[in-house]
């Protein structure tokens, strides 16, 4: 059996004594496409940061491809939610994407020819190659999102993490993006946070709902009825069940 | 002006002005994009504690200022990592304590009259030849460090979180930046004084940022602007017998408003881009 892409066991995390995540256990096999849903403040982004090694759990263990999160950093790609960061920074699209080729072992060295060709490939894949010389601040939100995706792809990731990749983009790009991710998923494990349950139903293979604790649905668990209900009363999706269950097949531990 | 060049002190002043402008252009660009202007102001003022200590114990004020500045920079860096929400308060506290300590130590130094003004507002006309060599060496150290870690500095400055995720040791790099800032600040104190350091560190990079497409370009343009401001200020102060440090800063200030006005006009007309 291959190593799981993600293996979280009994993970707890709190900020200044406020519990954010409680007893989260999750095993995700390689090649999966996981959508993470849940209310704002429910701990989705915290979960992602734990998986990326930016945050350390209070209790419990996390393994990414069998390694500690921060040791697996050269094997994962990350697309942040906020693409507006440092918008006046004097930097071109190419230079942002090249950051995907950084690594601890090659500090102090120039970017190589291989780095540049990898980035070229990634920028072309993300459909933003023609803008490579433009300062990042002059692009639209959707274009910037493509650059950040290219940056993540330039790493040659085995797992790609995305935090609300469609938060700041137009609906057209959203469809493009998920077509693109589905295609990419043939080679790469994908984990994406989203608030859009519709997106999840059409695209992902498995779903996790995070609100302090985590509930994981493996394969085909979202039905038309569930989506319906989630749209009707998203609060209910948040509360995991009361007064009527949105996600009926939970097996809570 | 040209006849002034026959004087050693004037040649030293020009050389110091150019060298300091270069290091301010490089480090100032990093200070501006990393938003650590307040920390660099804190380092500059707290460094006065080191100057006071040096007089009290009888060693070189430059050395005292350097040691103190680097020490304070490390403390401020640690604080800004540990208690992010109150970092600015603690930096403000250290800023004031360092200065007060310096003044009290000079008070306590028996029979020694120190020209306070030269530290507060600079004394570019009295930079000795030996200090020029120290400035050259410090400039080389800063230049080499930034060249070696250039792509890592870009990543840390643009997107610290991503830099950390891909395995860049962001924390050590941040402390290296603070250390270099401390050294640049100590050099700059000689030229414009500790009160005015911030201006030379921020005005040229701020203008340069708008006209460049890369951090390296920003550093080069900021250095060139800094050289113009410094030499222009020096010339005005010599011609009209004004305090050199303050004149340099006012020239930079005029440059700041001119470029600001150009930016506004361009923005309103919507002609460029």
């Amino acid at each position: 059996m291959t190593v799981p892409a993600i293996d979280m066991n009994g993970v707890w995390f709190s900020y200044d004594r406020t519990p954010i995540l409680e007893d989260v256990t999750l095993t995700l096999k390689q090649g999966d496409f996981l959508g993470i849903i849940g209310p704002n403040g429910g701990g989705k982004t915290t979960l992602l940061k734990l998986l990326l090694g930016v945050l350390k759990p209070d209790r419990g263990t996390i393994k990414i491809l069998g390694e500690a999160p921060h040791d697996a950093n050269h094997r994962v790609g990350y697309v942040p939610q906020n693409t507006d960061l440092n918008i006046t920074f004097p930097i071109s699209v190419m230079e942002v994407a090249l950051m995907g080729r950084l690594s601890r072992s090659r500090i102090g060295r120039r970017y190589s020819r291989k780095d540049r060709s990898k980035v070229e490939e990634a920028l072309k894949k993300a459909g933003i190659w023609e803008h490579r010389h433009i300062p990042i601040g002059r692009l639209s939100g959707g274009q910037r999102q493509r650059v950040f995706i290219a940056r993540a792809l330039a790493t040659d990731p085995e797992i790609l993490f995305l935090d609300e990749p469609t938060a700041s983009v137009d609906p057209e790009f959203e469809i493009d993006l998920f077509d693109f991710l589905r295609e990419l998923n043939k080679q790469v494990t994908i984990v994406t946070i989203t608030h859009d349950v519709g997106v999840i139903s059409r695209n992902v293979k498995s779903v996790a709902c995070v609100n302090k604790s985590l509930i994981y649905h493996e394969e085909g668990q979202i039905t038309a009825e569930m989506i319906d209900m989630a749209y009707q009363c998203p609060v209910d999706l948040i509360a995991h069940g009361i007064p009527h269950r949105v996600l009926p097949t939970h097996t809570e531990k | 002006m040209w006849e002034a060049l026959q004087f050693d002190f004037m040649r030293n002043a020009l050389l110091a002005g150019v060298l300091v402008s270069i290091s301010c252009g490089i480090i100032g660009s990093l200070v501006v994009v990393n938003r650590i202007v307040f920390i660099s102001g804190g380092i500059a003022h707290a460094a006065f504690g080191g100057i006071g200590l040096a007089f009290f114990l009888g060693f070189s004020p430059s050395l005292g200022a350097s040691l103190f500045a680097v020490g304070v920079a490390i403390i401020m860096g640690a604080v800004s990592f540990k208690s992010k929400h109150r970092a600015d308060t603690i930096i403000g506290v250290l800023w004031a304590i360092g200065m007060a300590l310096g003044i009290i130590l000079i008070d306590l130094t028996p029979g020694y009259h120190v020209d306070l003004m030269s530290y507060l507002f600079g004394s570019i006309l009295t930079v000795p030849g030996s200090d020029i060599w120290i400035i050259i060496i410090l400039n080389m150290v800063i230049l080499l460090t930034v060249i070696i870690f250039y792509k890592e500095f870009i990543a840390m400055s643009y997107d610290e979180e991503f830099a950390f995720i891909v395995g860049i040791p962001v924390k050590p790099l941040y402390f290296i930046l603070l250390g270099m800032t401390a050294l640049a600040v100590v050099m700059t104190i000689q030229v414009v004084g500790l009160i005015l350091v911030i201006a030379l560190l921020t005005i040229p990079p701020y203008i340069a940022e708008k006209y460049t497409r890369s951090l390296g370009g920003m550093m080069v343009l900021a250095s060139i602007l800094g050289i113009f401001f410094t030499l222009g200020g020096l010339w005005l102060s010599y011609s009209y017998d004004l305090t050199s440090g303050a004149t340099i800063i006012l020239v930079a200030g005029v440059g700041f408003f001119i470029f600001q006005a150009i930016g506004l006009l361009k923005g309103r007309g919507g002609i460029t881009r």
Side-chain angles (χ1 to χ4, degrees):
Chain A
M1 210 187 108
T2 52
V3 190
I6 296 173
D7 192 4
M8 297 180 88
N9 218 321
V11 170
W12 294 65
F13 184 83
S14 53
Y15 269 123
D16 297 332
R17 299 219 188 116
T18 312
I20 308 290
L21 293 173
E22 293 180 346
D23 197 18
V24 170
T25 295
L26 169 70
T27 309
L28 192 75
K29 60 183 189 317
Q30 291 190 43
D32 210 326
F33 190 151
L34 173 70
I36 300 175
I37 53 173
N40 290 331
K44 301 189 294 285
T45 297
T46 303
L47 179 75
L48 208 60
K49 290 193 172 170
L50 285 163
L51 293 172
L52 288 163
V54 175
L55 298 172
K56 293 210 162 37
D58 301 337
R59 269 197 276 161
T61 57
I62 303 175
K63 288 265 187 275
I64 302 294
L65 298 160
E67 295 183 90
H70 203 62
D71 296 331
N73 53 34
H74 56 286
R75 303 171 71 185
V76 307
Y78 170 55
V79 181
Q81 178 181 4
N82 181 10
T83 61
D84 305 338
L85 111 160
N86 268 327
I87 216 145
T88 60
F89 199 98
I91 190 166
S92 68
V93 166
M94 185 76 187
E95 270 186 295
V96 172
L98 273 168
M99 280 178 203
R101 299 299 300 170
L102 291 167
S103 75
R104 179 178 284 265
S105 57
R106 289 174 44 236
I107 287 171
R109 308 247 296 267
R110 308 283 96 184
Y111 288 118
S112 67
R113 192 179 290 262
K114 188 185 161 210
D115 290 335
R116 292 184 183 276
S117 70
K118 283 272 179 205
V119 167
E120 177 178 345
E121 191 187 317
L123 284 169
K124 281 179 175 162
K125 244 185 192 172
I128 200 82
W129 170 246
E130 66 269 32
H131 295 300
R132 62 191 175 281
H133 298 306
I134 308 257
I136 189 90
R138 296 228 186 127
L139 299 181
S140 71
Q143 289 174 319
R144 265 204 299 283
Q145 192 64 261
R146 289 170 192 265
V147 178
F148 285 100
I149 290 168
R151 180 177 72 171
L153 294 179
T155 313
D156 253 342
E158 292 169 59
I159 311 178
L160 182 63
F161 292 99
L162 302 100
D163 191 352
E164 301 246 16
T166 54
S168 57
V169 301
D170 47 283
E172 219 171 294
F173 174 62
E174 185 170 324
I175 295 165
D176 278 4
L177 174 68
F178 277 92
D179 285 346
F180 173 72
L181 290 180
R182 265 207 315 272
E183 185 62 32
L184 190 68
N185 184 231
K186 288 172 184 165
Q187 294 124 34
V188 179
T189 309
I190 296 179
V191 176
T192 180
I193 292 179
T194 179
H195 54 263
D196 187 342
V197 181
V199 158
I200 289 213
S201 71
R202 288 192 302 274
N203 299 288
V204 307
K205 293 178 184 163
S206 60
V207 181
C209 186
V210 181
N211 190 14
K212 261 193 195 171
S213 54
L214 178 143
I215 295 161
Y216 175 60
H217 303 257
E218 208 179 344
E219 321 259 353
Q221 296 268 357
I222 287 196
T223 65
E225 179 201 5
M226 279 153 45
I227 296 155
D228 238 25
M229 290 176 115
Y231 274 131
Q232 267 169 27
C233 44
V235 179
D236 199 52
L237 182 69
I238 290 158
H240 266 298
I242 306 158
H244 41 241
R245 296 192 83 82
V246 174
L247 305 165
T249 51
H250 293 167
T251 46
E252 297 194 46
K253 293 142 286 210
Chain B
M1 182 67 188
W2 302 115
E3 76 275 5
L5 283 175
Q6 62 190 295
F7 300 116
D8 253 1
F9 73 86
M10 204 59 191
R11 282 201 297 269
N12 280 351
L14 286 177
L15 208 51
V18 169
L19 290 168
V20 164
S21 298
I22 292 170
S23 58
C24 274
I26 296 169
I27 295 302
S29 295
L30 285 167
V31 163
V32 167
V33 297
N34 280 284
R35 302 190 185 94
I36 53 169
V37 173
F38 194 60
I39 290 189
S40 46
I43 293 171
H45 286 74
F48 194 67
I51 293 170
L53 193 68
F55 277 114
F56 187 69
L57 297 177
F59 60 91
S60 146
S62 301
L63 183 65
S66 304
L67 292 176
F68 225 74
V70 172
V72 166
I74 289 169
I75 294 171
M76 287 178 176
V79 166
S80 59
F81 265 112
K82 246 198 162 142
S83 57
K84 271 205 160 90
H85 301 294
R86 287 291 168 267
D88 63 335
T89 305
I90 294 166
I91 291 162
V93 168
L94 290 173
W95 171 317
I97 291 177
M99 260 208 102
L101 186 70
I103 290 173
I104 297 297
L105 283 170
I106 286 174
D107 280 349
L108 293 177
T109 306
Y112 199 91
H113 176 70
V114 180
D115 181 16
L116 265 182
M117 291 296 274
S118 75
Y119 289 102
L120 298 184
F121 297 103
S123 55
I124 191 171
L125 295 176
T126 62
V127 177
S130 57
D131 276 18
I132 295 285
W133 282 108
I134 295 176
I135 293 177
I136 288 174
I137 292 167
L138 290 180
N139 254 27
M140 299 291 271
V141 168
I142 287 174
L143 196 64
L144 274 177
T145 312
V146 172
I147 288 173
I148 291 171
F149 298 116
Y150 181 64
K151 68 189 201 309
E152 283 78 18
F153 272 123
I154 291 181
M156 176 184 80
S157 311
Y158 179 69
D159 189 346
E160 185 191 328
E161 186 180 70
F162 187 83
F164 177 82
I165 289 169
V166 294
I168 302 302
V170 171
K171 240 183 193 182
L173 209 57
Y174 184 72
F175 281 104
I176 289 175
L177 171 58
L178 288 179
M180 290 195 302
T181 306
L183 296 179
V185 159
V186 171
M187 277 192 266
T188 314
I189 286 177
Q190 287 210 315
V191 173
V192 292
L194 58 89
I195 292 180
L196 303 178
V197 163
I198 284 190
L200 210 52
L201 221 42
T202 55
I203 293 175
Y206 179 78
I207 298 171
E209 185 180 37
K210 295 191 165 66
Y211 296 92
T212 47
R213 290 178 172 209
S214 70
L215 189 62
M218 181 176 170
M219 289 170 172
V220 171
L221 183 57
S223 299
I224 293 170
L225 285 168
I227 290 172
F228 270 105
F229 295 151
T230 309
L231 298 190
L234 199 57
W235 174 68
L236 281 175
S237 82
Y238 179 79
S239 307
Y240 297 98
D241 195 20
L242 302 166
T243 307
S244 56
T247 314
I248 291 168
I249 298 307
L250 276 186
V251 170
V254 169
F256 174 79
F257 284 113
I258 288 175
F259 281 105
Q260 207 64 349
I262 292 173
L264 273 177
L265 287 176
K266 275 186 174 175
R268 209 169 285 163
I271 310 159
T272 50
R273 281 209 174 180

